[in-house]
mmCIF file of all heavy atoms in Angstrom:
data_model
loop_
_atom_site.group_PDB
_atom_site.id
_atom_site.type_symbol
_atom_site.label_atom_id
_atom_site.label_comp_id
_atom_site.label_asym_id
_atom_site.label_seq_id
_atom_site.Cartn_x
_atom_site.Cartn_y
_atom_site.Cartn_z
ATOM 1 N N VAL A 57 -31.184 -52.449 19.209
ATOM 2 C CA VAL A 57 -32.376 -51.750 18.502
ATOM 3 C C VAL A 57 -32.301 -51.963 17.049
ATOM 4 O O VAL A 57 -33.394 -52.519 16.438
ATOM 5 C CB VAL A 57 -32.544 -50.304 18.925
ATOM 6 C CG1 VAL A 57 -33.500 -49.614 18.124
ATOM 7 C CG2 VAL A 57 -32.746 -50.122 20.454
ATOM 8 N N ARG A 58 -31.223 -51.826 16.440
ATOM 9 C CA ARG A 58 -30.935 -51.984 15.090
ATOM 10 C C ARG A 58 -31.241 -53.213 14.576
ATOM 11 O O ARG A 58 -32.101 -53.443 13.454
ATOM 12 C CB ARG A 58 -29.602 -51.447 14.681
ATOM 13 C CG ARG A 58 -29.314 -51.590 13.262
ATOM 14 C CD ARG A 58 -27.925 -51.087 12.895
ATOM 15 N NE ARG A 58 -27.878 -49.629 13.014
ATOM 16 C CZ ARG A 58 -27.052 -48.948 13.901
ATOM 17 N NH1 ARG A 58 -26.347 -49.529 14.752
ATOM 18 N NH2 ARG A 58 -27.048 -47.630 13.900
ATOM 19 N N GLU A 59 -30.800 -54.283 15.250
ATOM 20 C CA GLU A 59 -30.939 -55.722 14.806
ATOM 21 C C GLU A 59 -32.424 -56.113 14.855
ATOM 22 O O GLU A 59 -33.084 -56.755 13.947
ATOM 23 C CB GLU A 59 -30.175 -56.672 15.652
ATOM 24 C CG GLU A 59 -28.678 -56.539 15.403
ATOM 25 C CD GLU A 59 -27.863 -57.280 16.448
ATOM 26 O OE1 GLU A 59 -28.389 -58.116 17.249
ATOM 27 O OE2 GLU A 59 -26.708 -57.050 16.430
ATOM 28 N N GLU A 60 -33.173 -55.657 15.903
ATOM 29 C CA GLU A 60 -34.599 -55.977 16.022
ATOM 30 C C GLU A 60 -35.427 -55.253 15.023
ATOM 31 O O GLU A 60 -36.436 -55.775 14.577
ATOM 32 C CB GLU A 60 -35.059 -55.796 17.423
ATOM 33 C CG GLU A 60 -34.335 -56.833 18.417
ATOM 34 C CD GLU A 60 -34.605 -58.360 17.985
ATOM 35 O OE1 GLU A 60 -35.630 -58.666 17.512
ATOM 36 O OE2 GLU A 60 -33.682 -59.066 18.098
ATOM 37 N N MET A 61 -35.142 -53.997 14.759
ATOM 38 C CA MET A 61 -35.834 -53.276 13.738
ATOM 39 C C MET A 61 -35.651 -53.913 12.379
ATOM 40 O O MET A 61 -36.618 -54.111 11.571
ATOM 41 C CB MET A 61 -35.289 -51.806 13.598
ATOM 42 C CG MET A 61 -35.775 -50.933 14.675
ATOM 43 S SD MET A 61 -37.458 -50.578 14.559
ATOM 44 C CE MET A 61 -38.068 -51.568 16.028
ATOM 45 N N ASN A 62 -34.352 -54.303 12.109
ATOM 46 C CA ASN A 62 -34.124 -54.896 10.707
ATOM 47 C C ASN A 62 -34.928 -56.302 10.714
ATOM 48 O O ASN A 62 -35.509 -56.704 9.750
ATOM 49 C CB ASN A 62 -32.644 -55.245 10.674
ATOM 50 C CG ASN A 62 -31.887 -53.827 10.426
ATOM 51 O OD1 ASN A 62 -32.484 -52.867 10.276
ATOM 52 N ND2 ASN A 62 -30.559 -53.896 10.546
ATOM 53 N N ARG A 63 -34.892 -56.975 11.874
ATOM 54 C CA ARG A 63 -35.505 -58.240 11.767
ATOM 55 C C ARG A 63 -37.001 -58.188 11.534
ATOM 56 O O ARG A 63 -37.662 -59.003 10.920
ATOM 57 C CB ARG A 63 -35.392 -59.065 13.178
ATOM 58 C CG ARG A 63 -35.787 -60.471 13.265
ATOM 59 C CD ARG A 63 -36.039 -60.859 14.727
ATOM 60 N NE ARG A 63 -34.855 -60.750 15.578
ATOM 61 C CZ ARG A 63 -33.768 -61.460 15.543
ATOM 62 N NH1 ARG A 63 -33.635 -62.451 14.586
ATOM 63 N NH2 ARG A 63 -32.752 -61.233 16.268
ATOM 64 N N ALA A 64 -37.561 -56.976 12.011
ATOM 65 C CA ALA A 64 -39.049 -56.752 11.843
ATOM 66 C C ALA A 64 -39.417 -56.186 10.554
ATOM 67 O O ALA A 64 -40.512 -55.813 10.060
ATOM 68 C CB ALA A 64 -39.558 -55.903 12.953
ATOM 69 N N GLY A 65 -38.286 -55.984 9.680
ATOM 70 C CA GLY A 65 -38.576 -55.470 8.404
ATOM 71 C C GLY A 65 -38.447 -54.071 8.046
ATOM 72 O O GLY A 65 -38.741 -53.440 7.088
ATOM 73 N N ALA A 66 -37.986 -53.278 9.162
ATOM 74 C CA ALA A 66 -37.899 -51.864 8.957
ATOM 75 C C ALA A 66 -36.500 -51.626 8.258
ATOM 76 O O ALA A 66 -35.561 -52.444 8.379
ATOM 77 C CB ALA A 66 -37.848 -51.114 10.206
ATOM 78 N N ILE A 67 -36.448 -50.498 7.682
ATOM 79 C CA ILE A 67 -35.217 -50.130 6.790
ATOM 80 C C ILE A 67 -34.550 -49.004 7.322
ATOM 81 O O ILE A 67 -35.171 -47.894 7.504
ATOM 82 C CB ILE A 67 -35.624 -50.007 5.370
ATOM 83 C CG1 ILE A 67 -36.259 -51.287 4.830
ATOM 84 C CG2 ILE A 67 -34.348 -49.682 4.567
ATOM 85 C CD1 ILE A 67 -36.973 -51.110 3.610
ATOM 86 N N GLU A 68 -33.235 -49.071 7.571
ATOM 87 C CA GLU A 68 -32.603 -47.940 8.266
ATOM 88 C C GLU A 68 -32.193 -46.912 7.220
ATOM 89 O O GLU A 68 -31.636 -47.071 6.119
ATOM 90 C CB GLU A 68 -31.359 -48.509 8.956
ATOM 91 C CG GLU A 68 -30.608 -47.358 9.722
ATOM 92 C CD GLU A 68 -29.535 -47.799 10.652
ATOM 93 O OE1 GLU A 68 -29.162 -49.020 10.606
ATOM 94 O OE2 GLU A 68 -29.088 -47.022 11.539
ATOM 95 N N ILE A 69 -32.390 -45.594 7.706
ATOM 96 C CA ILE A 69 -31.964 -44.475 6.920
ATOM 97 C C ILE A 69 -31.358 -43.474 7.974
ATOM 98 O O ILE A 69 -31.118 -43.911 9.115
ATOM 99 C CB ILE A 69 -33.081 -43.682 6.211
ATOM 100 C CG1 ILE A 69 -34.154 -43.187 7.183
ATOM 101 C CG2 ILE A 69 -33.745 -44.590 5.152
ATOM 102 C CD1 ILE A 69 -35.267 -42.361 6.707
ATOM 103 N N PRO A 129 -46.201 -52.501 2.151
ATOM 104 C CA PRO A 129 -45.924 -51.582 3.274
ATOM 105 C C PRO A 129 -44.366 -51.237 3.164
ATOM 106 O O PRO A 129 -43.588 -51.881 2.761
ATOM 107 C CB PRO A 129 -46.307 -52.335 4.461
ATOM 108 C CG PRO A 129 -45.897 -53.834 4.085
ATOM 109 C CD PRO A 129 -46.402 -53.841 2.706
ATOM 110 N N LEU A 130 -44.110 -49.992 3.910
ATOM 111 C CA LEU A 130 -42.835 -49.542 4.005
ATOM 112 C C LEU A 130 -42.581 -48.894 5.514
ATOM 113 O O LEU A 130 -43.531 -48.375 5.986
ATOM 114 C CB LEU A 130 -42.499 -48.443 2.914
ATOM 115 C CG LEU A 130 -41.109 -47.846 2.910
ATOM 116 C CD1 LEU A 130 -40.049 -48.841 2.479
ATOM 117 C CD2 LEU A 130 -40.985 -46.626 1.919
ATOM 118 N N ASN A 131 -41.510 -49.328 6.025
ATOM 119 C CA ASN A 131 -41.128 -48.821 7.360
ATOM 120 C C ASN A 131 -39.808 -48.292 7.294
ATOM 121 O O ASN A 131 -38.802 -49.155 7.013
ATOM 122 C CB ASN A 131 -41.344 -49.904 8.464
ATOM 123 C CG ASN A 131 -41.212 -49.344 9.737
ATOM 124 O OD1 ASN A 131 -40.365 -48.472 10.016
ATOM 125 N ND2 ASN A 131 -41.989 -49.985 10.727
ATOM 126 N N LEU A 132 -39.519 -46.992 7.436
ATOM 127 C CA LEU A 132 -38.208 -46.474 7.523
ATOM 128 C C LEU A 132 -37.854 -45.952 8.906
ATOM 129 O O LEU A 132 -38.737 -45.358 9.617
ATOM 130 C CB LEU A 132 -38.276 -45.233 6.602
ATOM 131 C CG LEU A 132 -38.457 -45.550 5.072
ATOM 132 C CD1 LEU A 132 -38.603 -44.220 4.323
ATOM 133 C CD2 LEU A 132 -37.479 -46.496 4.485
ATOM 134 N N TYR A 133 -36.681 -46.184 9.416
ATOM 135 C CA TYR A 133 -36.343 -45.809 10.667
ATOM 136 C C TYR A 133 -34.958 -45.149 10.620
ATOM 137 O O TYR A 133 -34.178 -45.406 9.778
ATOM 138 C CB TYR A 133 -36.453 -46.918 11.769
ATOM 139 C CG TYR A 133 -35.273 -47.807 11.674
ATOM 140 C CD1 TYR A 133 -34.038 -47.681 12.517
ATOM 141 C CD2 TYR A 133 -35.194 -48.961 10.779
ATOM 142 C CE1 TYR A 133 -33.061 -48.665 12.623
ATOM 143 C CE2 TYR A 133 -34.196 -49.793 10.732
ATOM 144 C CZ TYR A 133 -33.002 -49.684 11.666
ATOM 145 O OH TYR A 133 -32.015 -50.636 11.558
ATOM 146 N N HIS A 134 -34.670 -44.365 11.716
ATOM 147 C CA HIS A 134 -33.265 -43.994 11.969
ATOM 148 C C HIS A 134 -33.004 -43.841 13.413
ATOM 149 O O HIS A 134 -33.925 -43.742 14.314
ATOM 150 C CB HIS A 134 -33.022 -42.750 11.115
ATOM 151 C CG HIS A 134 -33.422 -41.421 11.617
ATOM 152 N ND1 HIS A 134 -34.576 -41.337 12.454
ATOM 153 C CD2 HIS A 134 -33.017 -40.186 11.436
ATOM 154 C CE1 HIS A 134 -34.826 -40.026 12.680
ATOM 155 N NE2 HIS A 134 -33.819 -39.353 12.059
ATOM 156 N N LYS A 158 -34.450 -43.820 18.582
ATOM 157 C CA LYS A 158 -34.729 -44.585 17.307
ATOM 158 C C LYS A 158 -36.123 -44.188 17.041
ATOM 159 O O LYS A 158 -37.170 -44.371 17.854
ATOM 160 C CB LYS A 158 -34.624 -45.990 17.654
ATOM 161 C CG LYS A 158 -34.851 -46.909 16.419
ATOM 162 C CD LYS A 158 -36.201 -47.232 15.969
ATOM 163 C CE LYS A 158 -37.125 -47.730 17.012
ATOM 164 N NZ LYS A 158 -38.593 -47.842 16.495
ATOM 165 N N ASP A 159 -36.414 -43.707 15.869
ATOM 166 C CA ASP A 159 -37.722 -43.482 15.451
ATOM 167 C C ASP A 159 -37.985 -44.052 14.066
ATOM 168 O O ASP A 159 -37.336 -43.872 13.106
ATOM 169 C CB ASP A 159 -38.112 -41.991 15.446
ATOM 170 C CG ASP A 159 -37.145 -40.988 14.982
ATOM 171 O OD1 ASP A 159 -35.916 -41.285 15.225
ATOM 172 O OD2 ASP A 159 -37.513 -39.990 14.411
ATOM 173 N N ALA A 160 -39.007 -44.957 14.102
ATOM 174 C CA ALA A 160 -39.455 -45.664 12.806
ATOM 175 C C ALA A 160 -40.839 -45.076 12.416
ATOM 176 O O ALA A 160 -41.610 -44.566 13.266
ATOM 177 C CB ALA A 160 -39.721 -47.147 13.107
ATOM 178 N N TYR A 161 -41.000 -45.090 11.040
ATOM 179 C CA TYR A 161 -42.285 -44.483 10.398
ATOM 180 C C TYR A 161 -42.841 -45.464 9.434
ATOM 181 O O TYR A 161 -42.080 -45.900 8.545
ATOM 182 C CB TYR A 161 -41.963 -43.159 9.892
ATOM 183 C CG TYR A 161 -41.338 -42.143 10.792
ATOM 184 C CD1 TYR A 161 -39.978 -42.155 10.869
ATOM 185 C CD2 TYR A 161 -42.055 -41.451 11.593
ATOM 186 C CE1 TYR A 161 -39.409 -41.235 11.767
ATOM 187 C CE2 TYR A 161 -41.594 -40.499 12.458
ATOM 188 C CZ TYR A 161 -40.113 -40.496 12.596
ATOM 189 O OH TYR A 161 -39.632 -39.560 13.529
ATOM 190 N N SER A 162 -44.100 -45.942 9.728
ATOM 191 C CA SER A 162 -44.581 -46.951 8.807
ATOM 192 C C SER A 162 -45.542 -46.327 7.828
ATOM 193 O O SER A 162 -46.188 -45.211 8.113
ATOM 194 C CB SER A 162 -45.334 -48.098 9.602
ATOM 195 O OG SER A 162 -46.476 -47.465 10.258
ATOM 196 N N SER A 173 -48.603 -53.203 10.463
ATOM 197 C CA SER A 173 -47.177 -52.580 10.716
ATOM 198 C C SER A 173 -47.172 -52.175 12.223
ATOM 199 O O SER A 173 -46.046 -52.397 12.679
ATOM 200 C CB SER A 173 -47.198 -51.207 9.992
ATOM 201 O OG SER A 173 -47.177 -51.621 8.510
ATOM 202 N N LYS A 176 -46.214 -55.413 14.140
ATOM 203 C CA LYS A 176 -44.776 -55.690 13.964
ATOM 204 C C LYS A 176 -43.882 -54.996 14.837
ATOM 205 O O LYS A 176 -42.998 -55.511 15.515
ATOM 206 C CB LYS A 176 -44.282 -55.440 12.462
ATOM 207 C CG LYS A 176 -44.802 -56.367 11.546
ATOM 208 C CD LYS A 176 -44.257 -56.107 10.015
ATOM 209 C CE LYS A 176 -44.981 -56.841 9.012
ATOM 210 N NZ LYS A 176 -44.468 -56.543 7.692
ATOM 211 N N MET A 177 -44.101 -53.716 15.012
ATOM 212 C CA MET A 177 -43.272 -52.849 15.955
ATOM 213 C C MET A 177 -43.582 -53.251 17.360
ATOM 214 O O MET A 177 -42.640 -53.326 18.133
ATOM 215 C CB MET A 177 -43.581 -51.425 15.628
ATOM 216 C CG MET A 177 -43.115 -50.848 14.389
ATOM 217 S SD MET A 177 -41.327 -50.843 14.215
ATOM 218 C CE MET A 177 -40.967 -52.242 13.119
ATOM 219 N N ALA A 180 -41.644 -56.479 17.897
ATOM 220 C CA ALA A 180 -40.259 -56.048 17.905
ATOM 221 C C ALA A 180 -39.787 -55.387 19.152
ATOM 222 O O ALA A 180 -38.720 -55.636 19.654
ATOM 223 C CB ALA A 180 -39.882 -55.134 16.680
ATOM 224 N N TYR A 181 -40.721 -54.414 19.691
ATOM 225 C CA TYR A 181 -40.347 -53.882 20.930
ATOM 226 C C TYR A 181 -40.181 -54.852 22.147
ATOM 227 O O TYR A 181 -39.315 -54.720 22.934
ATOM 228 C CB TYR A 181 -41.299 -52.732 21.248
ATOM 229 C CG TYR A 181 -41.047 -51.584 20.499
ATOM 230 C CD1 TYR A 181 -40.313 -51.466 19.278
ATOM 231 C CD2 TYR A 181 -41.410 -50.167 21.159
ATOM 232 C CE1 TYR A 181 -40.231 -50.239 18.603
ATOM 233 C CE2 TYR A 181 -41.116 -49.070 20.442
ATOM 234 C CZ TYR A 181 -40.530 -49.086 19.268
ATOM 235 O OH TYR A 181 -40.221 -47.834 18.600
ATOM 236 N N PHE A 239 -42.347 -62.300 11.212
ATOM 237 C CA PHE A 239 -42.959 -61.052 11.103
ATOM 238 C C PHE A 239 -43.907 -60.929 9.870
ATOM 239 O O PHE A 239 -44.610 -59.912 9.824
ATOM 240 C CB PHE A 239 -41.915 -59.951 11.141
ATOM 241 C CG PHE A 239 -41.340 -59.604 12.487
ATOM 242 C CD1 PHE A 239 -40.275 -60.179 12.970
ATOM 243 C CD2 PHE A 239 -42.013 -58.761 13.298
ATOM 244 C CE1 PHE A 239 -39.770 -60.022 14.303
ATOM 245 C CE2 PHE A 239 -41.577 -58.433 14.567
ATOM 246 C CZ PHE A 239 -40.458 -59.092 15.058
ATOM 247 N N ASP A 240 -43.901 -61.875 9.064
ATOM 248 C CA ASP A 240 -44.880 -61.840 7.959
ATOM 249 C C ASP A 240 -46.094 -62.564 8.300
ATOM 250 O O ASP A 240 -47.077 -62.570 7.547
ATOM 251 C CB ASP A 240 -44.122 -62.479 6.695
ATOM 252 C CG ASP A 240 -43.028 -61.557 6.079
ATOM 253 O OD1 ASP A 240 -43.242 -60.277 6.231
ATOM 254 O OD2 ASP A 240 -41.987 -61.990 5.726
ATOM 255 N N TYR A 316 -42.879 -44.830 15.728
ATOM 256 C CA TYR A 316 -42.535 -45.839 16.719
ATOM 257 C C TYR A 316 -41.200 -45.454 17.388
ATOM 258 O O TYR A 316 -40.182 -45.481 16.680
ATOM 259 C CB TYR A 316 -42.336 -47.192 16.134
ATOM 260 C CG TYR A 316 -43.584 -47.568 15.258
ATOM 261 C CD1 TYR A 316 -43.591 -47.206 13.819
ATOM 262 C CD2 TYR A 316 -44.719 -48.188 15.815
ATOM 263 C CE1 TYR A 316 -44.707 -47.471 13.058
ATOM 264 C CE2 TYR A 316 -45.851 -48.390 14.981
ATOM 265 C CZ TYR A 316 -45.800 -48.092 13.671
ATOM 266 O OH TYR A 316 -46.856 -48.358 12.867
#
Side-chain angles (χ1 to χ4, degrees):
Chain A
V57 170
R58 178 175 289 119
E59 286 170 14
E60 293 302 325
M61 280 295 108
N62 292 345
R63 191 196 306 280
I67 299 166
E68 185 167 14
I69 59 175
L130 183 63
N131 185 324
L132 301 174
Y133 78 97
H134 76 335
K158 183 284 303 178
D159 39 328
Y161 303 91
S162 67
S173 292
K176 283 184 194 179
M177 290 294 102
Y181 275 31
F239 279 93
D240 290 323
Y316 315 90

